[in-house]
PDB file of all heavy atoms in Angstrom:
ATOM      1  N   ARG A 164     -40.423 -25.980 -46.583  1.00  0.00           N
ATOM      2  CA  ARG A 164     -39.000 -25.679 -46.867  1.00  0.00           C
ATOM      3  C   ARG A 164     -38.191 -26.026 -45.715  1.00  0.00           C
ATOM      4  O   ARG A 164     -38.605 -25.824 -44.546  1.00  0.00           O
ATOM      5  CB  ARG A 164     -38.712 -24.220 -47.304  1.00  0.00           C
ATOM      6  CG  ARG A 164     -39.225 -23.898 -48.690  1.00  0.00           C
ATOM      7  CD  ARG A 164     -38.793 -22.493 -49.107  1.00  0.00           C
ATOM      8  NE  ARG A 164     -37.318 -22.293 -49.094  1.00  0.00           N
ATOM      9  CZ  ARG A 164     -36.730 -21.161 -49.135  1.00  0.00           C
ATOM     10  NH1 ARG A 164     -37.434 -20.050 -49.295  1.00  0.00           N
ATOM     11  NH2 ARG A 164     -35.406 -21.063 -49.249  1.00  0.00           N
ATOM     12  N   LEU A 165     -36.932 -26.642 -46.051  1.00  0.00           N
ATOM     13  CA  LEU A 165     -35.988 -26.927 -44.908  1.00  0.00           C
ATOM     14  C   LEU A 165     -34.697 -26.953 -45.672  1.00  0.00           C
ATOM     15  O   LEU A 165     -34.343 -27.867 -46.472  1.00  0.00           O
ATOM     16  CB  LEU A 165     -36.382 -28.257 -44.176  1.00  0.00           C
ATOM     17  CG  LEU A 165     -35.241 -28.695 -43.279  1.00  0.00           C
ATOM     18  CD1 LEU A 165     -35.089 -27.752 -42.157  1.00  0.00           C
ATOM     19  CD2 LEU A 165     -35.698 -30.062 -42.621  1.00  0.00           C
ATOM     20  N   ASP A 166     -33.758 -25.991 -45.418  1.00  0.00           N
ATOM     21  CA  ASP A 166     -32.530 -25.929 -46.148  1.00  0.00           C
ATOM     22  C   ASP A 166     -31.540 -25.036 -45.273  1.00  0.00           C
ATOM     23  O   ASP A 166     -31.810 -24.550 -44.240  1.00  0.00           O
ATOM     24  CB  ASP A 166     -32.657 -25.370 -47.588  1.00  0.00           C
ATOM     25  CG  ASP A 166     -33.485 -24.149 -47.628  1.00  0.00           C
ATOM     26  OD1 ASP A 166     -33.250 -23.193 -46.939  1.00  0.00           O
ATOM     27  OD2 ASP A 166     -34.320 -24.071 -48.569  1.00  0.00           O
ATOM     28  N   ARG A 167     -30.417 -24.983 -45.968  1.00  0.00           N
ATOM     29  CA  ARG A 167     -29.193 -24.266 -45.236  1.00  0.00           C
ATOM     30  C   ARG A 167     -29.116 -22.943 -45.780  1.00  0.00           C
ATOM     31  O   ARG A 167     -29.235 -22.536 -46.967  1.00  0.00           O
ATOM     32  CB  ARG A 167     -27.983 -24.983 -45.634  1.00  0.00           C
ATOM     33  CG  ARG A 167     -26.722 -24.502 -44.958  1.00  0.00           C
ATOM     34  CD  ARG A 167     -25.475 -25.211 -45.285  1.00  0.00           C
ATOM     35  NE  ARG A 167     -24.235 -24.729 -44.541  1.00  0.00           N
ATOM     36  CZ  ARG A 167     -23.087 -25.394 -44.674  1.00  0.00           C
ATOM     37  NH1 ARG A 167     -22.914 -26.495 -45.183  1.00  0.00           N
ATOM     38  NH2 ARG A 167     -22.097 -24.908 -43.914  1.00  0.00           N
ATOM     39  N   HIS A 168     -28.984 -22.007 -44.834  1.00  0.00           N
ATOM     40  CA  HIS A 168     -28.721 -20.520 -45.086  1.00  0.00           C
ATOM     41  C   HIS A 168     -27.415 -20.191 -44.394  1.00  0.00           C
ATOM     42  O   HIS A 168     -27.377 -19.810 -43.214  1.00  0.00           O
ATOM     43  CB  HIS A 168     -29.822 -19.601 -44.638  1.00  0.00           C
ATOM     44  CG  HIS A 168     -31.007 -19.583 -45.598  1.00  0.00           C
ATOM     45  ND1 HIS A 168     -31.964 -18.600 -45.597  1.00  0.00           N
ATOM     46  CD2 HIS A 168     -31.426 -20.412 -46.672  1.00  0.00           C
ATOM     47  CE1 HIS A 168     -32.857 -18.775 -46.518  1.00  0.00           C
ATOM     48  NE2 HIS A 168     -32.551 -19.818 -47.165  1.00  0.00           N
ATOM     49  N   GLY A 169     -26.325 -20.239 -45.069  1.00  0.00           N
ATOM     50  CA  GLY A 169     -25.077 -20.034 -44.453  1.00  0.00           C
ATOM     51  C   GLY A 169     -24.770 -21.111 -43.435  1.00  0.00           C
ATOM     52  O   GLY A 169     -24.705 -22.314 -43.787  1.00  0.00           O
ATOM     53  N   ASP A 170     -24.564 -20.788 -42.210  1.00  0.00           N
ATOM     54  CA  ASP A 170     -24.437 -21.708 -41.075  1.00  0.00           C
ATOM     55  C   ASP A 170     -25.734 -21.918 -40.276  1.00  0.00           C
ATOM     56  O   ASP A 170     -25.673 -22.450 -39.144  1.00  0.00           O
ATOM     57  CB  ASP A 170     -23.279 -21.309 -40.223  1.00  0.00           C
ATOM     58  CG  ASP A 170     -21.911 -21.481 -40.826  1.00  0.00           C
ATOM     59  OD1 ASP A 170     -21.864 -22.157 -41.894  1.00  0.00           O
ATOM     60  OD2 ASP A 170     -20.916 -20.863 -40.383  1.00  0.00           O
ATOM     61  N   ALA A 171     -26.768 -21.379 -40.821  1.00  0.00           N
ATOM     62  CA  ALA A 171     -28.139 -21.514 -40.137  1.00  0.00           C
ATOM     63  C   ALA A 171     -29.066 -22.386 -40.800  1.00  0.00           C
ATOM     64  O   ALA A 171     -28.998 -22.755 -42.132  1.00  0.00           O
ATOM     65  CB  ALA A 171     -28.632 -20.094 -40.004  1.00  0.00           C
ATOM     66  N   VAL A 172     -30.091 -22.833 -40.110  1.00  0.00           N
ATOM     67  CA  VAL A 172     -31.118 -23.631 -40.699  1.00  0.00           C
ATOM     68  C   VAL A 172     -32.281 -22.743 -41.014  1.00  0.00           C
ATOM     69  O   VAL A 172     -32.824 -21.924 -40.148  1.00  0.00           O
ATOM     70  CB  VAL A 172     -31.654 -24.755 -39.751  1.00  0.00           C
ATOM     71  CG1 VAL A 172     -32.776 -25.458 -40.297  1.00  0.00           C
ATOM     72  CG2 VAL A 172     -30.467 -25.654 -39.359  1.00  0.00           C
ATOM     73  N   PHE A 173     -32.825 -22.816 -42.229  1.00  0.00           N
ATOM     74  CA  PHE A 173     -34.124 -22.171 -42.624  1.00  0.00           C
ATOM     75  C   PHE A 173     -35.199 -23.081 -42.725  1.00  0.00           C
ATOM     76  O   PHE A 173     -35.114 -24.150 -43.305  1.00  0.00           O
ATOM     77  CB  PHE A 173     -33.871 -21.396 -43.960  1.00  0.00           C
ATOM     78  CG  PHE A 173     -35.196 -20.675 -44.402  1.00  0.00           C
ATOM     79  CD1 PHE A 173     -35.394 -19.352 -44.023  1.00  0.00           C
ATOM     80  CD2 PHE A 173     -35.983 -21.288 -45.281  1.00  0.00           C
ATOM     81  CE1 PHE A 173     -36.662 -18.821 -44.329  1.00  0.00           C
ATOM     82  CE2 PHE A 173     -37.158 -20.689 -45.750  1.00  0.00           C
ATOM     83  CZ  PHE A 173     -37.539 -19.389 -45.308  1.00  0.00           C
ATOM     84  N   LEU A 174     -36.390 -22.603 -42.211  1.00  0.00           N
ATOM     85  CA  LEU A 174     -37.561 -23.561 -42.144  1.00  0.00           C
ATOM     86  C   LEU A 174     -38.757 -22.688 -42.530  1.00  0.00           C
ATOM     87  O   LEU A 174     -38.908 -21.608 -42.062  1.00  0.00           O
ATOM     88  CB  LEU A 174     -37.836 -23.999 -40.657  1.00  0.00           C
ATOM     89  CG  LEU A 174     -37.365 -25.404 -40.335  1.00  0.00           C
ATOM     90  CD1 LEU A 174     -37.580 -25.504 -38.745  1.00  0.00           C
ATOM     91  CD2 LEU A 174     -38.081 -26.463 -41.026  1.00  0.00           C
ATOM     92  N   GLN A 175     -39.672 -23.254 -43.415  1.00  0.00           N
ATOM     93  CA  GLN A 175     -40.991 -22.739 -43.602  1.00  0.00           C
ATOM     94  C   GLN A 175     -42.007 -23.917 -43.340  1.00  0.00           C
ATOM     95  O   GLN A 175     -41.964 -24.950 -43.882  1.00  0.00           O
ATOM     96  CB  GLN A 175     -41.195 -22.220 -45.068  1.00  0.00           C
ATOM     97  CG  GLN A 175     -42.576 -21.642 -45.226  1.00  0.00           C
ATOM     98  CD  GLN A 175     -42.751 -21.161 -46.673  1.00  0.00           C
ATOM     99  OE1 GLN A 175     -43.156 -21.900 -47.527  1.00  0.00           O
ATOM    100  NE2 GLN A 175     -42.455 -19.884 -46.940  1.00  0.00           N
ATOM    101  N   VAL A 176     -42.793 -23.681 -42.275  1.00  0.00           N
ATOM    102  CA  VAL A 176     -43.657 -24.766 -41.861  1.00  0.00           C
ATOM    103  C   VAL A 176     -45.181 -24.212 -41.736  1.00  0.00           C
ATOM    104  O   VAL A 176     -45.420 -23.154 -41.753  1.00  0.00           O
ATOM    105  CB  VAL A 176     -43.332 -25.222 -40.441  1.00  0.00           C
ATOM    106  CG1 VAL A 176     -41.938 -25.970 -40.504  1.00  0.00           C
ATOM    107  CG2 VAL A 176     -43.192 -24.112 -39.460  1.00  0.00           C
ATOM    108  N   SER A 177     -46.048 -25.163 -41.722  1.00  0.00           N
ATOM    109  CA  SER A 177     -47.511 -24.955 -41.495  1.00  0.00           C
ATOM    110  C   SER A 177     -47.698 -24.203 -40.157  1.00  0.00           C
ATOM    111  O   SER A 177     -47.184 -24.785 -39.107  1.00  0.00           O
ATOM    112  CB  SER A 177     -48.302 -26.245 -41.698  1.00  0.00           C
ATOM    113  OG  SER A 177     -49.607 -26.059 -41.394  1.00  0.00           O
TER     114      SER A 177
END
Side-chain angles (χ1 to χ4, degrees):
R164 284 185 60 190
L165 175 57
D166 50 45
R167 180 177 186 173
H168 277 198
D170 290 343
V172 177
F173 177 82
L174 265 171
Q175 184 179 84
V176 291
S177 173

